[in-house]
Amino acid sequence: MRALYTQQNGDRINAIELEPIAVVDIGSNSVRLVVYEGAVRAPTPIFNEKVLAGLGRTIATTGNLDEAGVARTLEALARFRAITRVLGVKNIRAIATAACREAKNGKNFIAQSEKALGVHIEVLSGEQEAEMAAAGIIMGFGNTDGIIGDMGGGSLELIDLKGTQRQNAITLPLGGLRLIDSCEGKIDKAFEFTERELDRAAWLANGQGRTFYVVGGAWRSLAKLHMEATKYPLRVMQGYTLKASDTIEFCERVRKSKKGQGLEGIEAVSKARRETLTYGALVLERALRRIKAERVVFSVFGIREGLLYKLLGPHEQTKDPLIAFATDYAQLRSRSIAHAHELCAWTDAIFGPGGPKETDDERRLRHAACLLSDIGWRAHPDYRGEQSLNVVAHSGMSGIDHPGRIFLAQAVYYRHNGIDGDDDVGREFSERLNKLMPERLQLRAKIAGAAVRAAHMLSIGRPGIIDEVELSYDRDRFVVRIPKAHAALDGERFRRRIETLARLLGKTSEVRVGR
C-alpha cells in the first residue's frame, strides 16, 4: 500500500491510500495475473504474469476444454494464489471467457479453478466480454470513436463505440485456437469460415473512415512483427498506429506465410504465439476490408483494464488518463508537485495573447510535459536528459498516441539538455524519435522544454517563485517581469535561456526586474 496524493495549491494534500487489486483472466489461450497498484484512472501494474495454457485448443471438435490446458491452468492459478498472498493483495477479481462458458466440462473446470485460486470466478457472457473490452479501450484512450476488435483464443468481440456509448456489439467464434481446431489447421478453410462469420456483422460498414482499435495477443504479435520489419524506434505497443491499407497489405503477407516463416523480424514473436499468427492476420485483414477504417490502433488495454474501469467511481472515470498518470508520476519522482503545477500555469502565458496558437490537445500535452519535467532530477547531471527521454518515451502512460508520447519525451529531454549541440548523450535516439512527430509538435516540444529549462534556472525547482514572475508580449518582444523580491535570482544563465525561448517564439527577449 502507498499514499497517492492529488493537489492544486500545495504539496502532498488529499492523501488517498492505494490498495493493490489483482485481476485473473482465464482466456481460451492464455491465463494471466495482473496486480495493479490500485483502482485509479491511470493504473500501474506492479506484477504481470501470463501462461499460454491453450484451454480452448480442442473445444470446437470435442466440446471440452483441452486436458493438458486444464492442468497447466490449474497449476498457474495455484501459483497466482501464492503470488497474491506474498504481495498482500486482498482484492482479487477473477474472470473467465469464451472457452469456459461454452465447454461441456466448463462448470467442473471452474469449480476446480476456484478451489485452486481461492476466489470466485465470474464466467463472462459474450455481451459482458464485449462490454468490458469497450471499457478497456475507454480506460486506455479516453472517449473514442471507432470499432473495437478483441481477438482471443476462442472468440472475437466486435464493438462499435462512440464516446462511451456502444452502438453495436457481437461475439463471433473467430479466436485463433478455435479457427485452427474447427478448420483442421487449414488456412483456406479458415478464410471461408471467417468470411461467413463476419457476414453476421453487417454493421461493420459503419466503421468507414474511423479507427479500428485492436486488442489481443495474436494481433499484438503482428504489431511487434511490423515494428521489427520496419525498424520502428519506439517499441511501445499501446497506441501504435498504422494506416488501414498498410495493415491489410502486411496481414496478407503474414497470412500467406507458414507461421511467419521467412518474415523479417519473426524472431521477436514467441514460438508459442506463432501458432496463431497467420490466423490473427487473416481475421484482421478480412475485418478491415469490411470496416474500411482509416487507421488501426493497437491497444494493450483490454477486458482486465475494462473490469478495473468499471470499479471506478464516476468522478475517477471522467479524469483525463494522461494528466492523471503525469500527476501521479510527478508526485512520486519530482522534487515538488506544487512547482510542476506552477509550470503548467506559467507556460500558459506563452500561448496567450501575442503568442503562438495552441489547440486543446496541445495544451494538454504541454501540461503533461510540465508535470513530468523534473522526474529525472536524481540522475547524474550528464545523463538526466537521456534517462528522462527513455523513461517518458517507454512509460506505461495511457490516453496518448505515439506522436504525443514522443512530444513529452522530447520536451523533458530539451529541459535538461537544451535544444542545441550535436554531442549530447541521447541525441541520436532523440533525433530518431523526432522523425515520427509532425514539425508543429517538434517546435512545440522545444518551446515547452526551453520554457521549463528557463523556469528552473530562476526557481531552483521550488514553488512560490515563478508564480510571481510574469510573461507577456510587447509587439516583437517576449517580456519577463521579475519582482524585486526575486531580483537576486536573475543572472546571465537565466537570461541566455530566456533568449533561447524567445528565439523559438520568433521574438527578441527583454527581462524587466523590479518594475
Side-chain angles (χ1 to χ4, degrees):
M1 181 190 296
R2 75 165 177 84
L4 170 69
Y5 294 90
T6 58
Q7 63 82 50
Q8 292 297 327
N9 300 310
D11 283 346
R12 293 179 180 262
I13 64 173
N14 299 332
I16 305 169
E17 293 294 334
L18 289 184
E19 286 279 0
I21 180 171
V23 178
V24 177
D25 177 9
I26 304 172
S28 301
N29 192 17
S30 65
V31 55
R32 186 188 291 265
L33 165 69
V34 184
V35 181
Y36 299 94
E37 194 174 28
V40 292
R41 187 61 183 85
T44 300
I46 58 177
F47 184 86
N48 189 332
E49 183 166 299
K50 172 186 67 180
V51 175
L52 290 174
L55 268 178
R57 183 177 301 279
T58 59
I59 196 168
T61 52
T62 69
N64 287 315
L65 299 172
D66 181 78
E67 289 185 10
V70 167
R72 282 194 294 271
T73 299
L74 293 175
E75 183 180 348
L77 293 177
R79 171 173 160 78
F80 291 172
R81 183 177 187 175
I83 290 169
T84 55
R85 184 176 64 249
V86 169
L87 293 176
V89 182
K90 299 176 182 178
N91 191 354
I92 304 171
R93 304 297 177 103
I95 54 177
T97 53
C100 294
R101 70 172 174 260
E102 296 174 12
K104 290 184 292 186
N105 60 345
K107 287 185 179 179
N108 181 59
F109 166 73
I110 290 297
Q112 291 178 282
S113 297
E114 289 180 337
K115 185 176 180 180
L117 187 60
V119 299
H120 169 69
I121 299 171
E122 181 180 6
V123 181
L124 301 180
S125 67
E127 172 74 10
Q128 289 174 316
E129 199 169 343
E131 182 180 354
M132 285 196 183
I137 292 297
I138 295 170
M139 187 72 147
F141 296 95
N143 291 349
T144 57
D145 182 2
I147 308 293
I148 300 166
D150 186 350
M151 183 182 180
S155 66
L156 168 67
E157 277 66 51
L158 293 166
I159 310 105
D160 186 337
L161 186 68
K162 193 171 183 64
T164 58
Q165 301 299 314
R166 285 187 298 143
Q167 309 295 314
N168 290 286
I170 192 170
T171 297
L172 301 174
L174 294 178
L177 290 182
R178 183 185 288 253
L179 280 172
I180 293 172
D181 188 27
S182 60
C183 298
E184 302 172 330
K186 296 178 180 178
I187 196 72
D188 290 341
K189 279 190 175 183
F191 187 102
E192 295 172 1
F193 185 80
T194 298
E195 287 291 273
R196 287 197 302 272
E197 289 298 324
L198 289 175
D199 284 341
R200 296 168 52 195
W203 52 265
L204 288 177
N206 297 336
Q208 184 169 358
R210 296 163 71 195
T211 298
F212 188 40
Y213 295 92
V214 298
V215 184
W219 285 349
R220 286 194 294 271
S221 293
L222 285 171
K224 183 182 290 186
L225 185 62
H226 189 271
M227 287 179 177
E228 289 290 334
T230 59
K231 305 295 187 296
Y232 190 75
L234 182 59
R235 301 303 171 90
V236 174
M237 190 63 61
Q238 177 67 10
Y240 184 54
T241 302
L242 297 173
K243 291 181 180 178
S245 57
D246 292 342
T247 307
I248 289 172
E249 181 184 346
F250 182 72
C251 285
E252 279 188 310
R253 277 191 281 137
V254 176
R255 172 171 63 84
K256 293 174 182 177
S257 70
K258 187 176 182 180
K259 295 183 182 180
Q261 289 181 15
L263 296 175
E264 185 178 2
I266 189 62
E267 296 79 12
V269 178
S270 68
K271 290 183 178 179
R273 279 293 184 196
R274 293 179 202 177
E275 179 183 20
T276 58
L277 192 66
T278 50
Y279 295 88
L282 165 64
V283 175
L284 181 53
E285 174 208 336
R286 303 318 298 175
L288 280 173
R289 289 189 183 279
R290 292 170 182 256
I291 296 169
K292 294 182 172 59
E294 180 180 342
R295 61 179 189 154
V296 176
V297 176
F298 292 85
S299 174
V300 299
F301 283 61
I303 62 172
R304 293 179 294 275
E305 290 74 24
L307 186 155
L308 212 60
Y309 180 81
K310 292 287 187 179
L311 297 178
L312 302 179
H315 175 70
E316 193 73 17
Q317 286 183 346
T318 57
K319 285 183 179 179
D320 183 320
L322 173 62
I323 299 301
F325 171 88
T327 301
D328 190 15
Y329 208 89
Q331 178 61 59
L332 288 169
R333 301 298 181 193
S334 65
R335 285 172 288 187
S336 169
I337 184 65
H339 184 259
H341 281 289
E342 285 182 358
L343 287 171
C344 297
W346 195 68
T347 56
D348 280 344
I350 295 173
F351 296 89
K357 302 297 181 183
E358 184 180 54
T359 66
D360 289 342
D361 191 56
E362 287 168 348
R363 181 176 186 271
R364 170 178 175 264
L365 289 174
R366 173 172 53 80
H367 280 191
C370 289
L371 291 168
L372 296 171
S373 62
D374 199 39
I375 61 170
W377 73 275
R378 288 183 182 272
H380 186 283
D382 291 347
Y383 297 95
R384 285 174 186 161
E386 179 192 32
Q387 291 195 17
S388 297
L389 179 73
N390 274 291
V391 167
V392 176
H394 299 103
S395 69
M397 69 179 76
S398 57
I400 193 169
D401 58 14
H402 277 208
R405 178 184 290 270
I406 293 166
F407 168 90
L408 297 181
Q410 296 285 43
V412 179
Y413 174 76
Y414 295 136
R415 168 261 191 271
H416 288 291
N417 285 34
I419 63 170
D420 301 313
D422 298 324
D423 299 322
D424 291 331
V425 175
R427 181 70 65 177
E428 181 183 354
F429 183 46
S430 171
E431 290 176 348
R432 290 177 66 204
L433 290 182
N434 240 1
K435 296 176 182 178
L436 304 177
M437 185 169 53
E439 288 187 10
R440 179 183 171 93
L441 274 186
Q442 290 180 30
L443 175 60
R444 274 158 171 68
K446 290 179 179 180
I447 291 172
V452 172
R453 185 171 171 82
H456 272 272
M457 182 55 64
L458 193 68
S459 67
I460 323 302
R462 301 307 304 162
I465 296 174
I466 61 170
D467 62 338
E468 297 179 5
V469 176
E470 296 180 8
L471 305 179
S472 63
Y473 294 93
D474 186 356
R475 292 186 288 259
D476 63 346
R477 288 173 294 174
F478 176 63
V479 181
V480 181
R481 293 179 174 85
I482 303 175
K484 187 176 181 180
H486 302 311
L489 292 173
D490 183 24
E492 181 182 346
R493 293 184 68 192
F494 171 70
R495 295 200 175 211
R496 284 205 306 267
R497 292 185 179 187
I498 288 296
E499 286 175 5
T500 298
L501 174 58
R503 175 162 47 87
L504 291 169
L505 296 168
K507 308 288 184 180
T508 57
S509 64
E510 180 180 342
V511 178
R512 301 174 184 174
V513 181
R515 48 184 171 131

